[in-house]
Amino acid sequence: MDFVIITGLSGAGKTCALHALEDIGFYCVDNLPSSLLTTFYNLCETSTDSAMKKVAVVIDVRGGNILAGFYEDIKGFKKNNKPFSLMFLDAKEDVLVTRFKETRRRHPLADTVPDKSVESAILLEVSYLEPFKKIADHIIDTTNVSVKLLKERITELFLVNREKGIILSFISFGFKHGIPVDCDTVFDTRCLPNPFYISELREKTGLDSEVYDYVFSFKESKEFVKKLIDFLDCSVPLYRKEGKAELVVGIGCTGGQHRSVAIAETLRNHFSEIGYNSSVFHRDAKKIIN
């Protein structure tokens, strides 16, 4: 059974994530009360309906009772080796405030804070959900991610065969746009020659052959990637041995269009070729360089 539990901060994209899973064949339930999680899970597990073998549910602070029993249920699933994934949607507080004000939605905890403000409600929600973030199998930071890119990330993550073990997710990004908070480890490629300074390459990305070839035309780039692959070849099996479900590797350059994209693609291709479930996500590749 493929059972995905989605939680996280209000405004961080849980509904979008649920829709993405629905689009790839999951039976989806939004705002499931936390007190019903175990009961619903058991019903899905014993059901003879094949549609109930790929299920996604959203559980968050809207369910009331401050997520009563939710943490204990999750820990129980892990202890008993129940097949499930816990996905946490996160975003920076200032971005969440902006999203609520733009949509004119009320935060679900607004009535529980003295000043009724979105800011205070978000801070309270963060404190409630922090334990779940610490034990999540997948943490996705949507601060700088569009709806389209979030759906692509979810689709790539859950379309692969996850029965083979650890999933490797490579994220290219630009340091000037912020480091993704969901990365387990980050590598900085700003020490390598920059295609930005070649006028005919400036508006292209590492997905274009001209940029890719330029990046790897330098001895430094080839040596950098070789040592990076050696490191990951050594460390990934250790993460897998420790039971980690997903390793998110961030590859950063200045703007997130050129060097990081080319190197993230190279890493994904390497690990796919040797049998790992690997995906790549280019967060900033389409941003216009200023």
Side-chain angles (χ1 to χ4, degrees):
M1 183 168 69
D2 209 348
F3 195 95
V4 182
I5 303 168
I6 303 170
T7 192
L9 301 179
S10 300
K14 299 187 298 293
T15 299
C16 176
L18 194 69
H19 290 165
L21 289 172
E22 187 174 34
D23 288 344
I24 58 174
F26 279 75
Y27 178 83
C28 296
V29 179
D30 190 15
N31 197 17
L32 180 74
S34 58
S35 58
L36 295 180
L37 175 59
T38 297
T39 300
F40 183 66
Y41 184 95
N42 291 337
L43 287 172
C44 295
E45 189 174 39
T46 58
S47 175
T48 58
D49 185 350
S50 60
M52 303 306 292
K53 299 307 178 183
K54 288 183 65 176
V55 178
V57 301
V58 172
I59 298 178
D60 54 31
V61 296
R62 293 173 297 167
N65 296 321
I66 314 304
L67 303 171
F70 185 25
Y71 189 80
E72 288 72 21
D73 286 344
I74 295 296
K75 296 293 284 186
F77 288 170
K78 287 181 177 288
K79 181 179 178 180
N80 295 310
N81 295 317
K82 295 285 189 180
F84 82 102
S85 297
L86 178 61
M87 179 165 59
F88 191 97
L89 276 291
D90 197 10
K92 290 183 178 179
E93 293 166 21
D94 59 333
V95 172
L96 294 174
V97 170
T98 300
R99 289 175 183 175
F100 271 99
K101 290 183 177 180
E102 286 178 348
T103 60
R104 299 184 180 180
R105 291 173 51 213
R106 281 180 57 78
H107 192 284
L109 294 180
D111 290 334
T112 67
V113 293
D115 62 2
K116 311 294 184 183
S117 71
V118 173
E119 292 87 345
S120 297
I122 290 172
L123 291 175
L124 181 62
E125 185 178 34
V126 168
S127 69
Y128 286 155
L129 294 175
E130 186 62 27
F132 302 97
K133 183 177 178 180
K134 290 180 178 178
I135 63 172
D137 299 298
H138 310 287
I139 301 174
I140 299 179
D141 174 23
T142 67
T143 299
N144 293 302
V145 177
S146 67
V147 170
K148 180 177 181 293
L149 287 177
L150 176 58
K151 287 184 176 180
E152 289 177 2
R153 173 86 191 277
I154 298 292
T155 300
E156 283 203 5
L157 187 60
F158 288 93
L159 268 182
V160 298
N161 179 3
R162 298 185 296 130
E163 295 179 356
K164 292 183 179 180
I166 191 169
I167 298 170
L168 301 181
S169 296
F170 297 98
I171 299 179
S172 70
F173 68 93
F175 279 97
K176 74 175 186 178
H177 303 298
I179 300 174
V181 299
D182 44 340
C183 291
D184 295 299
T185 186
V186 171
F187 297 97
D188 186 350
T189 69
R190 289 176 294 183
C191 58
L192 303 178
N194 191 354
F196 175 83
Y197 296 107
I198 308 299
S199 58
E200 59 266 29
L201 302 180
R202 184 170 300 168
E203 298 302 324
K204 297 181 182 294
T205 77
L207 295 174
D208 294 302
S209 60
E210 302 96 320
V211 173
Y212 188 94
D213 291 344
Y214 177 85
V215 170
F216 285 101
S217 67
F218 295 91
K219 179 181 177 181
E220 300 97 309
S221 300
K222 295 174 183 176
E223 187 67 17
F224 182 93
V225 171
K226 179 180 181 299
K227 291 185 181 297
L228 185 51
I229 288 175
D230 287 343
F231 172 78
L232 292 172
D233 279 342
C234 174
S235 60
V236 168
L238 300 179
Y239 283 111
R240 182 176 182 178
K241 183 178 179 181
E242 287 299 310
K244 192 165 182 60
E246 180 189 16
L247 182 69
V248 182
V249 180
I251 308 295
C253 62
T254 304
Q257 282 194 312
H258 301 117
R259 294 164 291 182
S260 61
V261 172
I263 290 174
E265 285 286 329
T266 300
L267 294 175
R268 189 275 302 270
N269 292 339
H270 168 77
F271 283 96
S272 294
E273 287 172 1
I274 63 175
Y276 282 96
N277 291 323
S278 304
S279 64
V280 66
F281 174 64
H282 303 301
R283 192 191 71 178
D284 302 324
K286 295 182 181 179
K287 285 185 169 67
I288 297 176
I289 298 178
N290 297 315

